[in-house]
């Protein structure tokens, strides 16, 4: 049996919402003299939440803004108190709700290290012992006596994060912090978190970043309106898509794709979109099959001769571009386009897309500039349906089937 | 296998004693915050800590001019020494009301991100105030030397009077800080309290010029008695023991009830910010 690290039992939390905050004193004084009940409403931010986390587990909490993730983490950190329920920690917790919490801009880097670390309950001796390590990790040694208000944003984050990395605990509660800073810094954060997992520490991470969370965590909890909607990995993520998506990702009429309204597409002097959509696709119960190639097509009118190329970008739900494909890449497609009506087709091969939602952006690019730019021209949902060989979602924007070999060499 | 619980969180109230023990455990934070505030407040200023005495000194100069030249008071001691003994007590008190009263509002970001007993914040203001107060005391001593005033053995009671000064200020500061989070209006009321309060307090005038029928208010006025005790220590003015006892008992009740109120409400502080 695995050991328990963190036990959240039936935790609820509600907030009072005042219709008009500024009236609260007036209301309270008026309330003394009248029997009328306070007009404040209760908002249930956490509704009977129970989660058990085992030692060495990394659990991700996903959910829309306002789902209750941050409230839960604040309660776990002791910043807020639950209305009811109980939380047991079987190990020393540390909560990282912000990078640079407790930093003061007027103080020097060195002073801030001591300030921030003592807020995290380090003794002075412990900070002195770790001081050099923190400075080395941050790489801001030359500026350590400068006030941090003069730091660049990157230096500030590096220093702040270095302090966190030197905190020692058994259970780490982390809120969104892995999504700050430049790519290099994000990698550093991610590596550090992976190190913690490798050391067998227990993690609870709240984030919007599904890609990150699904690659770091071995279990995911989906929250919505203060409740736990689902746990697991693939189920929770699938359900997340059904609640946390913009309306252009909601599909109607049994179809698994959505075409942008024609009225929303601008016509320019150079190009007029006539028609667009998907062709040759196979519909599964849950989406368009990725086991069969399908086509993305557009029909457009080019009123006058022009030099240009067409391209499509396939993005994931958050807008990260998975790939771009252009007619420029085809030797037999000329860039000199005579006036007339054209049909452009891009064939998406089988075994390329993952079981996810995608948006297709369309571009018509002239000699020096983009002449027509339509984002989310088509949005679609991909599924593997019955042929799904692996019962879990594989991390990654794409899921190409690479030729692979397994050879016994000894 | 039975596992050891490291920490448990649940709703409900913790007792004042448990809470104070918690504060004692992290008492180093009181020092840390005080140091931070002093550094930040005087960072990049040329005069640094001297700024903390410029305000009381300006007050002293204005009062001295007014009450020596415009409408002279007749005292046994130099007026400047008399006024300054009032000013130091009053300024320490008002800095506690003003600073401790707003400290939760001014540290919202911290409160929302890091957990620690929030009482540490108003307490740290008592410490920063003490540093500034000590500088004023040095000035007072210098002033007395210049004016040729004698010192008395009564100075050994100074620490006790300072403690009374701190408790009086903190009782207001703690109440205000916890209330201001809920009722932001109080944030605007504090300057008025301080502004009007100086007229109701014998800072720059002696209580002897106050008509007899109003003297009863000093039974309910701890700051007036703190100042009276400073004057007793430094210039040997007589004190009304009854007034001191009653008003200090009142301040103490206010202080303890403030602590209880603060601890009761601490768990809601983050909710209201």
């Amino acid at each position: 049996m695995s050991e328990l690290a963190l036990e959240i039992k039936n935790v609820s939390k509600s907030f009072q919402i005042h219709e008009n905050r500024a009236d609260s004193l007036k209301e309270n004084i008026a309330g003394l003299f009248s029997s009328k009940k306070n007009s404040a409403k209760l908002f249930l931010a956490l509704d009977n939440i129970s989660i058990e986390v085992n030692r060495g587990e990394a659990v991700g909490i996903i959910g829309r803004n306002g789902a209750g993730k941050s409230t839960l983490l604040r309660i776990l950190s002791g910043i807020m108190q639950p209305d009811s329920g109980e939380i047991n920690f079987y190990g020393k917790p540390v909560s990282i709700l912000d990078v640079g919490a407790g930093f003061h801009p007027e103080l020097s880097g060195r002073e801030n290290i001591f300030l921030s670390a003592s807020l995290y309950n380090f003794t002075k001796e412990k900070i002195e012992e770790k001081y050099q390590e923190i400075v080395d990790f941050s790489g801001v040694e030359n500026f350590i006596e400068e006030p941090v208000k003069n730091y660049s944003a990157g230096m500030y984050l590096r220093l702040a994060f270095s302090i966190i990395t030197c905190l020692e605990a058994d259970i780490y509660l982390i809120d969104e912090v892995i999504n700050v800073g430049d790519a290099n810094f994000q990698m550093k954060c991610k590596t550090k978190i992976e190190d913690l997992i490798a050391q067998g520490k227990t993690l609870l991470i709240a984030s919007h970043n599904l890609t990150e969370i699904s690659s770091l965590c071995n279990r995911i909890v989906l929250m919505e309106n203060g409740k736990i909607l689902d746990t697991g990995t693939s189920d929770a993520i699938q359900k997340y898509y059904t609640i946390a998506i913009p309306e252009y990702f909601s599909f109607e009429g049994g179809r698994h794709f959505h075409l942008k309204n024609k009225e929303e597409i601008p016509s320019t002097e150079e190009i007029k979109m006539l028609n667009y959509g998907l062709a040759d696709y196979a519909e599964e119960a849950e989406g368009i099959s990725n086991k069969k190639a399908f086509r993305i097509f557009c029909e457009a009118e080019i009123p006058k001769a022009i030099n240009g190329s067409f391209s499509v970008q396939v993005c994931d739900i958050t807008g990260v571009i998975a790939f771009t494909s252009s007619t420029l890449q085809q030797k037999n497609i000329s860039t000199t386009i005579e006036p007339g009506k054209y049909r452009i087709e891009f064939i998406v091969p089988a075994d390329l897309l993952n079981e996810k939602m995608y948006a297709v952006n369309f571009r018509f690019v002239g000699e020096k500039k983009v002449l027509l730019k339509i984002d989310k021209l088509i949005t679609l949902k991909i599924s593997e349906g019955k042929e799904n060989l692996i019962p879990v979602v594989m991390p990654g924007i794409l899921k190409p089937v690479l030729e692979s070999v397994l050879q016994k060499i000894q | 296998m039975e596992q050891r619980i490291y920490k448990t969180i649940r709703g409900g109230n913790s007792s004042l004693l448990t809470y104070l023990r918690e504060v004692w455990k992290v008492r180093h934070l009181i020092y840390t915050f005080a140091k931070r505030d002093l550094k930040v407040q005087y960072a990049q200023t040329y005069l640094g800590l001297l700024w903390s005495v410029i305000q009381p000194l300006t007050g002293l100069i204005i009062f001295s001019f007014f009450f020596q030249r415009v409408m002279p008071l007749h005292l046994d001691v130099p007026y400047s020494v008399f006024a300054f003994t009032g000013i130091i007590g009053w300024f320490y008190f008002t800095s506690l009301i003003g600073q401790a009263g707003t400290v939760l509002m001014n540290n919202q970001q911290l409160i929302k991100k890091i957990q620690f007993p929030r009482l540490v914040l108003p307490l740290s203001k008592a410490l920063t105030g003490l540093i500034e107060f000590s500088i004023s005391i040095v000035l007072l001593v210098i002033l007395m030397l210049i004016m040729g005033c004698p010192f008395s053995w009564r100075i050994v009671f100074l620490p006790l009077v300072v403690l009374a000064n701190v408790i009086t200020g903190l009782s207001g500061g703690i109440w205000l800080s916890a209330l201001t989070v809920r009722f932001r209006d109080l944030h605007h009321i504090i300057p008025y309290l301080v502004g009007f309060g100086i007229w109701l307090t014998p800072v720059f005038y002696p209580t002897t010029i106050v008509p007899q029928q109003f003297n009863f208010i000093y039974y309910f006025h701890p700051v007036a008695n703190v100042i009276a005790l400073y004057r007793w220590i430094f210039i040997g003015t007589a004190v009304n023991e009854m007034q001191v006892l009653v008003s200090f008992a009142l301040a103490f009740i206010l202080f303890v009830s403030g602590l209880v109120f603060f601890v009761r409400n601490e768990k809601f502080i983050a909710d209201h910010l």
Side-chain angles (χ1 to χ4, degrees):
Chain A
M1 203 190 93
S2 40
E3 263 179 90
L4 212 54
L6 168 62
E7 194 178 22
I8 304 170
K9 285 195 285 197
N10 310 15
V11 167
S12 293
K13 172 81 184 172
S14 54
F15 293 106
Q16 277 192 10
I17 321 172
H18 295 277
E19 306 279 84
N20 183 354
R21 187 77 201 248
D23 283 344
S24 61
L25 180 61
K26 214 165 73 191
E27 257 171 43
N28 272 269
I29 292 172
L32 293 176
F33 302 107
S34 78
S35 56
K36 215 180 82 189
K37 256 200 109 190
N38 201 325
S39 73
K41 282 182 191 146
L42 277 185
F43 165 72
L44 203 54
L46 290 180
D47 187 0
N48 211 10
I49 295 284
S50 298
I51 302 171
E52 288 188 351
V53 183
N54 288 324
R55 251 182 66 181
E57 233 188 336
V59 173
I61 302 177
I62 55 173
R64 287 194 285 183
N65 284 332
K69 304 187 297 287
S70 291
T71 306
L72 180 62
L73 278 178
R74 280 183 186 168
I75 286 177
L76 290 175
S77 320
I79 290 170
M80 286 178 175
Q81 213 181 26
D83 296 339
S84 60
E86 190 180 299
I87 296 150
N88 290 316
F89 293 95
Y90 299 90
K92 188 186 175 195
V94 64
S95 54
I96 305 158
L97 303 192
D98 198 2
V99 212
F103 267 36
H104 200 289
E106 294 283 352
L107 298 180
S108 73
R110 192 177 55 79
E111 287 164 336
N112 268 311
I113 290 178
F114 279 85
L115 174 63
S116 183
S118 60
L119 284 173
Y120 281 112
N121 252 326
F122 270 68
T123 60
K124 199 158 180 269
E125 295 73 43
K126 189 83 186 161
I127 306 169
E128 267 157 12
E129 183 193 317
K130 289 265 179 186
Y131 177 74
Q132 203 49 48
E133 193 183 329
I134 293 171
V135 175
D136 289 345
F137 191 87
S138 68
V140 297
E141 184 147 27
N142 294 336
F143 305 95
I144 206 73
E145 299 296 339
E146 282 285 307
V148 297
K149 66 175 179 186
N150 296 339
Y151 282 25
S152 73
M155 285 160 64
Y156 184 91
L157 285 174
R158 286 209 306 274
L159 181 66
F161 190 75
S162 311
I163 295 167
I164 294 170
T165 59
C166 297
L167 299 172
E168 281 163 3
D170 306 308
I171 303 161
Y172 291 80
L173 310 163
I174 303 170
D175 190 10
E176 295 284 358
V177 287
I178 40 184
N179 294 328
V180 291
D182 61 11
N184 184 22
F185 178 68
Q186 284 193 18
M187 275 309 286
K188 218 168 174 174
C189 296
K190 222 184 133 182
T191 315
K192 182 68 203 175
I193 289 171
E194 279 163 354
D195 282 353
L196 292 176
I197 296 172
Q199 287 164 30
K201 306 282 189 187
T202 309
L203 270 76
L204 194 67
I205 308 173
S207 176
H208 296 289
N209 191 333
L210 273 181
T211 328
E212 200 114 75
I213 265 215
S214 48
S215 74
L216 283 174
C217 300
N218 38 24
R219 187 152 61 96
I220 284 170
V221 173
L222 170 64
M223 287 184 68
E224 172 72 359
N225 293 332
K227 293 192 184 73
I228 292 180
L229 219 57
D230 217 321
T231 57
T233 45
S234 54
D235 287 354
I237 289 180
Q238 285 300 338
K239 243 186 207 156
Y240 181 71
Y241 282 133
T242 64
I243 56 160
I245 50 170
E247 49 84 32
Y248 42 79
F249 279 106
S250 60
F251 309 112
E252 287 163 1
R255 287 196 312 189
H256 289 103
F257 64 93
H258 172 91
L259 303 180
K260 199 180 188 105
N261 266 339
K262 245 186 206 141
E263 292 83 67
E264 290 176 48
I265 293 173
S267 329
T268 64
E269 282 174 32
E270 294 90 359
I271 181 168
K272 187 171 183 257
M273 291 291 274
L274 302 172
N275 195 15
Y276 43 88
L278 299 182
D280 288 347
Y281 57 88
E283 289 248 23
E284 294 282 349
E286 289 294 314
I288 291 164
S289 170
N290 63 1
K291 288 290 159 198
K292 183 175 180 296
F294 63 88
R295 290 155 198 267
I296 299 167
F297 74 87
C298 315
E299 289 168 4
E301 189 180 340
I302 307 286
K304 54 183 189 212
I306 197 164
N307 269 337
S309 65
F310 303 90
S311 57
V312 284
Q313 299 174 339
V314 173
C315 314
D316 74 356
I317 191 164
T318 60
V320 176
I321 299 171
F323 61 83
T324 303
S325 192
S326 165
T327 52
L328 277 178
Q329 292 166 298
Q330 302 290 336
K331 277 199 195 97
N332 53 355
I333 298 181
S334 161
T335 55
T336 331
I337 303 164
E338 294 301 318
K341 288 181 180 170
Y342 290 89
R343 181 179 170 98
I344 310 106
E345 282 193 354
F346 291 93
I347 299 165
V348 181
D351 290 329
L352 174 68
L353 299 180
N354 204 345
E355 287 192 279
K356 277 177 174 259
M357 309 238 198
Y358 293 97
V360 177
N361 300 340
F362 178 82
R363 300 280 186 271
F364 180 54
V365 187
E367 265 173 333
K368 288 231 167 72
K369 60 170 188 172
V370 178
L371 299 173
L372 181 65
K373 179 170 180 273
I374 311 168
D375 283 347
K376 303 176 197 81
L377 180 70
I378 306 167
T379 48
L380 63 151
K381 189 181 174 197
I382 296 293
S383 151
E384 245 171 26
K386 288 179 241 75
E387 286 178 77
N388 195 348
L389 301 171
I390 309 154
V392 293
V393 172
M394 307 249 285
I397 298 180
L398 299 176
K399 189 168 78 171
V401 177
L402 303 182
E403 253 174 57
S404 46
V405 284
L406 176 65
Q407 226 172 13
K408 197 169 182 190
I409 53 170
Q410 207 182 1
Chain B
M1 191 182 82
E2 195 56 29
Q3 281 173 273
R4 208 174 59 87
I5 294 181
Y6 182 87
K7 184 180 158 193
T8 296
I9 296 177
R10 58 169 85 81
N13 293 318
S14 60
S15 79
L16 183 60
L17 215 64
T18 333
Y19 184 87
L20 292 180
R21 216 173 281 141
E22 205 62 28
V23 173
W24 180 249
K25 254 193 254 167
V26 295
R27 59 190 181 279
H28 64 98
L29 284 182
I30 299 177
Y31 170 75
T32 306
F33 280 124
K35 209 168 102 184
R36 177 195 77 169
D37 289 343
L38 282 176
K39 268 189 189 152
V40 168
Q41 214 168 339
Y42 302 114
Q44 294 183 1
T45 61
Y46 288 107
L47 296 183
L49 258 176
L50 276 181
W51 276 112
S52 69
V53 293
I54 285 178
Q55 211 187 350
L57 273 183
T58 323
L60 179 67
I61 291 165
I62 294 169
F63 295 148
S64 299
F65 174 77
F66 195 79
F67 288 105
Q68 279 178 323
R69 301 289 155 89
V70 184
M71 46 174 290
L73 288 168
H74 300 288
L75 300 165
D76 311 333
V77 289
Y79 179 78
S80 55
V81 175
F82 171 83
F84 206 60
T85 46
I87 286 171
I88 54 171
W90 176 252
F91 270 87
Y92 194 10
F93 172 75
T94 53
S95 98
L96 276 168
I97 294 276
Q99 301 273 327
T102 51
V103 70
L104 294 181
M105 296 289 295
N106 293 339
N107 286 281
Q108 296 189 28
Q109 277 316 310
L110 200 62
I111 289 172
K112 281 196 237 175
K113 299 293 184 191
I114 296 183
Q115 196 273 328
F116 57 90
R118 310 304 185 201
L119 189 64
V120 163
L121 287 169
L123 291 183
S124 75
K125 290 297 181 187
L127 196 56
T128 41
L130 188 64
I131 306 287
E132 294 166 346
F133 177 82
S134 309
I135 296 174
S136 296
I137 286 284
V138 172
L139 281 182
L140 176 67
V141 169
I142 294 172
L143 188 68
M144 285 174 70
L145 289 172
I146 294 171
M147 294 293 176
C149 299
F151 288 91
S152 145
W153 57 270
R154 292 185 299 267
I155 204 155
V156 296
F157 288 106
L158 184 62
L160 281 178
V161 182
V162 175
L163 184 69
N165 201 345
V166 171
I167 287 178
T168 311
L170 272 182
S171 61
I174 289 174
W175 268 104
L176 281 171
S177 65
L179 283 169
T180 314
V181 175
R182 291 273 275 270
F183 310 113
R184 304 282 161 103
D185 309 55
L186 291 172
H187 204 97
H188 303 281
I189 293 174
I190 294 173
Y192 286 99
L193 280 180
V194 172
F196 290 127
I198 195 164
W199 296 96
L200 299 175
T201 313
V203 176
F204 49 82
Y205 57 84
T207 47
T208 46
I209 65 162
V210 177
Q212 198 65 45
Q213 69 262 39
F214 294 119
N215 261 339
F216 72 93
I217 68 161
Y218 298 123
Y219 284 96
F220 310 101
H221 198 335
V223 195
N225 286 291
V226 168
I227 290 172
L229 284 173
Y230 282 133
R231 286 186 177 144
W232 174 71
I233 287 176
F234 287 105
I235 52 185
T237 325
V239 284
N240 182 331
E241 290 90 351
M242 210 47 212
Q243 282 177 3
V244 170
L245 278 178
V246 171
S247 67
F248 281 10
L250 209 66
F252 192 70
I253 292 170
L254 205 62
F255 178 66
V256 174
S257 60
L259 282 179
V260 173
F261 182 76
F262 191 95
V263 173
R264 280 279 165 85
N265 281 277
E266 163 158 315
K267 56 187 175 185
F268 303 119
I269 289 173
D271 296 14
H272 287 287
L273 287 178

